[in-house]
Amino acid sequence: MSAFVSAIIVAAGGSTRMGTADSKQFVPLLGQPAILYTLRAFQACALISEVVVVCRAQDMARIEALARENGISKLTAVTEGGDCRAASVQNGILAVSAQAQYFAIHDGARPLITPEEITAVTEAAFETGAATLGTAVTDTIKIADENNVILQTPDRAVLRAVQTPQVFEKELYTFALTDAEDLSIVTDDCSLIENMGGEVQIVEGSRENIKLTTPVDVVLAESILSRRGEA
């Protein structure tokens, strides 16, 4: 199937847990800004028609320059983030092409995503209307109360750690977005579809598709990139 897929890279978060004054999108990985690895993966994926980056106002010119200097020709817009993640995605949607048929929404702080993984989840969305990357949970998960006392142990066989990109048919996602009662509590885009009774297909992802949150994640990311030969 051929369709116009607009990638929306959400890179508007702060760096509180990373412990840096700079946006974590620019944390160096093997000497290059983390966001550049993300942009390169979407640039290399044949199914992606355009890329829109949503970021903090002070980072906009920097990302535009980074894309220009590194041949990221699919970048069509850089726009400012909103008050919460869902609002940032909304801003990204306002900046995509009128030709857009699908949205591939990705965390800018997941720089280890590969073109192959983007292709797999996008093709699944072509079939189902909504798909996400995810992996089986290997740790035992506990549900605790407000005093940090264990209440329950869910069956990890049915648990999945959801990643991005999360890919949605345009009309389905925009309806789910307008149907949501409180965007401030939305932590991922699949939940918008779930809340309106829709189904999201999980496509097996890679445990290497980590999100940069703390300094430990940087060490791990550089190790993975070195093994891939990205040095």
Side-chain angles (χ1 to χ4, degrees), residues 12 52-58 60 77-83 87-92 95:
V52 170
V53 174
V54 185
C55 63
R56 300 194 294 181
Q58 62 264 40
M60 292 173 67
V78 178
T79 190
E80 189 174 353
D83 294 333
S88 290
V89 175
Q90 270 188 319
N91 289 354

Side-chain angles (χ1 to χ4, degrees), residues 107-139:
D107 297 324
R110 288 187 188 270
L112 303 184
I113 187 66
T114 66
E116 293 77 17
E117 289 162 352
I118 299 169
T119 296
V121 69
T122 302
E123 288 179 338
F126 289 165
E127 296 294 327
T128 65
T132 182
L133 288 178
T135 60
V137 172
T138 55
D139 291 333

Side-chain angles (χ1 to χ4, degrees), residues 5-137:
V5 182
S6 299
I8 300 171
I9 311 300
V10 185
S15 303
T16 304
R17 286 174 288 180
M18 187 62 73
T20 65
D22 202 2
S23 298
K24 64 182 175 181
Q25 324 302 334
F26 299 108
V27 168
L29 298 178
L30 301 182
Q32 299 189 80
I35 188 72
L36 182 57
Y37 293 94
T38 308
L39 292 172
R40 283 175 173 161
F42 282 86
Q43 175 73 23
C45 180
L47 295 184
I48 299 300
S49 306
E50 69 170 350
V51 174
V52 170
V53 174
V54 185
C55 63
R56 300 194 294 181
Q58 62 264 40
D59 296 334
M60 292 173 67
R62 194 171 170 187
I63 287 177
E64 289 173 344
L66 190 66
R68 184 171 56 252
E69 293 163 2
N70 289 275
I72 309 299
S73 59
K74 290 182 180 179
L75 183 70
T76 58
V78 178
T79 190
E80 189 174 353
D83 294 333
C84 62
R85 188 184 188 283
S88 290
V89 175
Q90 270 188 319
N91 289 354
I93 288 173
L94 292 174
V96 303
S97 167
Q99 301 176 68
Q101 296 170 278
Y102 288 83
F103 301 137
I105 304 168
H106 185 67
D107 297 324
R110 288 187 188 270
L112 303 184
I113 187 66
T114 66
E116 293 77 17
E117 289 162 352
I118 299 169
T119 296
V121 69
T122 302
E123 288 179 338
F126 289 165
E127 296 294 327
T128 65
T132 182
L133 288 178
T135 60
V137 172

Side-chain angles (χ1 to χ4, degrees), residues 4 9 34 110 166 186:
F4 195 102
I9 311 300
R110 288 187 188 270
Q166 299 178 356
V186 175

